[in-house]
Amino acid sequence: MTKFDLDSLSIEELAALRDSATDKLAEKVAARQAELEAELEKLAQYGKVAKKSQATPVAKSKKDVTKTDAASEDVSRAA
């Protein structure tokens, strides 16, 4: 890996380095994502197919679940 003396680089050189690093990172992320998707397809043949989600699911706290359960019971009793 090349070592850079960042203090000696001009603003233009630093910006070019940043752009180069950003491009390389995006390239590596895309390659890894393709690898993971291929692995997921292989694994899908063995059972339940995992859904692709765009966002990470947020776990509910136990207090929220308890309140939801209690509200459901109240509604069922009222009916």
Side-chain angles (χ1 to χ4, degrees):
M1 181 152 105
T2 306
K3 301 243 179 184
F4 292 98
D5 182 12
L6 299 178
D7 291 331
S8 68
L9 296 177
S10 69
I11 291 175
E12 291 80 17
E13 291 170 324
L14 286 169
L17 179 60
R18 179 200 60 212
D19 293 342
S20 176
T22 301
D23 292 344
K24 191 62 163 176
L25 182 60
E27 183 181 305
K28 287 188 174 202
V29 166
R32 182 67 176 139
Q33 183 175 5
E35 290 173 10
L36 291 172
E37 287 175 354
E39 186 69 21
L40 185 60
E41 286 181 27
K42 288 179 189 175
L43 293 173
Q45 70 182 344
Y46 297 110
K48 204 187 286 187
V49 177
K51 293 181 182 178
K52 292 183 184 178
S53 65
Q54 296 298 326
T56 304
V58 177
K60 291 184 179 180
S61 67
K62 289 187 177 186
K63 288 182 180 180
D64 292 343
V65 172
T66 305
K67 289 179 183 178
T68 304
D69 292 343
S72 298
E73 289 177 14
D74 291 342
V75 171
S76 63
R77 288 182 192 163

